[in-house]
């Protein structure tokens, strides 16, 4: 049976078989709610108490969980995987994740990327899109991604940080008023400050010691992986009828990204707006 058919069969079984046999527990009394990383011996003991069919079923449930979350481009937290899916199977979490990552890559063409090592937060990247370097390697394909593309262009041109007021003023010039309900986007301000932030394309950060309170937009973690800065620069060149090379600093950054650059963990400052609210 092919890998795709096996996954499909297991997903159907998880929906139809609510009374499937469960082990009493796979945990010791000293394991916490979310589960610290179990040792290899704990994982092996857990696997020894399960049938291959039970492991495959649980793996398929986690795959399904990832796919549902990814529909809205939302980051996936290990704590949620453990709480809502693995439950009493959490001691075999490392083995389940190995199989989940392999299945998502081989069957769906998706790569699991850990964007926050400390808090174990993941997201999915389309490997087929990343062959060209970025999901936005050929520019935005929908009105919503077009709006995001415009905002990221502003942030990029300002060095990765831009005042909220500048973004709103720029959008108004494009007849997208954050203070009014838009026919295509609905509540524009909510989409930008909530949805795009939750998806990790942007960070929405309070500026300290400002009265009235001011906020800034920062370049987000997902944008680092999915968005081509070269395309952003080309877009700005077309918008201003200007050679992209004339923005020398941005051009160097777009064409010569720092080697080995890692994705930073989200800030822990109390001023930073949580992307998981």
């Amino acid at each position: 049976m092919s890998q795709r058919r096996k996954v499909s069969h297991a997903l159907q079984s998880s929906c139809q078989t609510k009374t499937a046999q469960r082990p009493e527990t796979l945990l010791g009394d000293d394991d916490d709610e979310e589960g610290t990383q179990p040792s290899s011996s704990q994982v092996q003991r857990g696997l020894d108490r399960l049938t291959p069919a039970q492991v495959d079923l649980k793996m398929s449930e986690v795959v399904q969980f990832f796919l549902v979350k990814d529909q809205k481009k939302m980051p996936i937290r290990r704590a949620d995987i453990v709480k809502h899916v693995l439950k009493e199977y959490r001691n075999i979490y490392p083995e389940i994740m190995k199989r989940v990552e392999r299945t998502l890559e081989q069957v769906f063409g998706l790569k699991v990327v850990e964007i926050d090592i400390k808090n174990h937060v993941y997201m999915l990247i389309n490997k087929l899109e990343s062959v060209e370097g970025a999901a936005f390697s050929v520019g935005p394909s929908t009105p919503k991604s077009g709006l995001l593309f415009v905002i990221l262009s502003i942030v990029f041109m300002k060095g990765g940080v831009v005042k909220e007021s500048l973004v709103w003023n720029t959008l108004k010039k494009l007849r997208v008023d954050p203070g009014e309900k838009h026919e295509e986007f609905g509540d524009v301000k909510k989409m930008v400050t909530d949805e795009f932030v939750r998806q990790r394309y942007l960070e929405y950060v309070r500026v300290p010691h400002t009265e009235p309170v001011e906020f800034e937009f920062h370049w987000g973690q997902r944008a680092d992986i999915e968005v081509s800065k070269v395309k952003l620069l080309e877009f700005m060149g077309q918008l201003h009828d200007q050679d992209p090379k004339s923005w020398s600093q941005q051009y160097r950054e777009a064409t010569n990204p720092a080697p080995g650059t890692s994705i930073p963990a989200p800030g822990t400052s109390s001023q930073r707006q949580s992307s998981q609210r």
Side-chain angles (χ1 to χ4, degrees):
M1 182 183 296
S2 69
Q3 179 78 338
R4 186 180 291 273
R5 290 180 63 189
K6 284 174 66 178
V7 172
S8 176
H9 176 73
L11 289 174
Q12 291 174 3
S13 298
S14 68
C15 295
Q16 297 170 355
T17 314
K18 298 297 184 181
T19 58
Q21 181 181 1
R22 306 277 186 178
E24 291 181 6
T25 182
L26 298 178
L27 295 171
D29 295 334
D30 57 343
D31 288 303
D32 59 22
E33 176 71 17
E34 295 183 5
T36 55
Q37 188 76 357
S39 66
S40 56
S41 60
Q42 287 177 309
V43 173
Q44 189 56 54
R45 285 199 300 271
L47 290 172
D48 290 343
R49 298 173 64 177
L50 295 168
T51 66
Q54 286 176 311
V55 177
D56 283 343
L57 179 62
K58 187 56 62 176
M59 179 274 293
S60 298
E61 289 176 354
V62 176
V63 167
Q64 188 176 43
F65 184 79
F66 266 87
L67 294 175
V68 169
K69 287 286 187 181
D70 188 58
Q71 287 178 0
K72 293 187 177 182
K73 295 287 187 182
M74 295 303 177
I76 301 112
R77 299 170 61 242
R78 183 178 78 169
D80 291 332
I81 298 172
V82 170
K83 181 178 179 180
H84 300 297
V85 187
L86 288 182
K87 301 176 182 178
E88 67 271 23
Y89 290 78
R90 58 189 178 271
N91 246 23
I92 60 170
Y93 175 85
E95 178 62 27
I96 291 291
M97 280 302 298
K98 284 181 186 177
R99 301 186 186 198
V100 166
E101 290 176 11
R102 185 167 59 243
T103 299
L104 285 169
E105 183 170 345
Q106 294 177 354
V107 179
F108 299 98
L110 298 169
K111 182 179 180 181
V112 178
V113 177
E114 189 170 16
I115 60 173
D116 183 349
I117 297 175
K118 180 180 178 181
N119 297 302
H120 303 289
V121 180
Y122 308 93
M123 68 180 185
L124 295 180
I125 299 297
N126 191 327
K127 288 192 68 182
L128 299 178
E129 292 173 337
S130 64
V131 168
E132 295 296 328
F136 286 101
S137 61
V138 293
S141 57
T142 66
K144 184 185 291 188
S145 62
L147 176 64
L148 175 61
F149 202 74
V150 169
I151 296 171
L152 287 173
S153 297
I154 301 168
V155 176
F156 173 58
M157 296 303 290
K158 292 296 183 179
V161 179
V162 64
K163 286 187 177 181
E164 177 185 27
S165 57
L166 178 58
V167 171
W168 301 144
N169 289 335
T170 303
L171 292 183
K172 285 179 182 178
K173 293 178 182 178
L174 300 173
R175 298 185 179 180
V176 179
D177 191 333
E180 299 178 2
K181 187 171 183 179
H182 191 271
E183 181 179 353
E184 182 73 42
F185 308 120
D187 188 333
V188 176
K189 188 170 184 178
K190 182 177 181 181
M191 175 179 290
V192 175
T193 61
D194 184 62
E195 184 173 336
F196 291 165
V197 171
R198 281 175 175 267
Q199 293 171 348
R200 304 285 180 106
Y201 286 113
L202 296 166
E203 292 180 359
Y204 189 49
V205 182
R206 179 176 176 176
V207 180
H209 314 302
T210 54
E211 187 61 43
V213 175
E214 296 180 8
F215 288 87
E216 296 173 331
F217 287 109
H218 292 204
W219 187 267
Q221 296 164 306
R222 185 185 288 271
D224 260 333
I225 297 173
E226 292 189 2
V227 180
S228 166
K229 292 179 179 178
V230 171
K231 293 302 175 183
L232 291 179
L233 201 54
E234 289 177 355
F235 169 75
M236 294 301 292
Q238 293 171 3
L239 191 64
H240 295 278
D241 193 22
Q242 192 170 331
D243 186 345
K245 292 182 181 179
S246 64
W247 291 291
S248 56
Q249 181 178 342
Q250 289 86 350
Y251 186 79
R252 283 195 301 270
E253 181 180 347
T255 56
N256 298 292
T261 301
S262 59
I263 305 171
T268 56
S269 168
S270 60
Q271 295 173 335
R272 190 176 299 275
Q273 302 301 296
S274 170
S275 63
Q276 300 170 358
R277 61 187 176 213

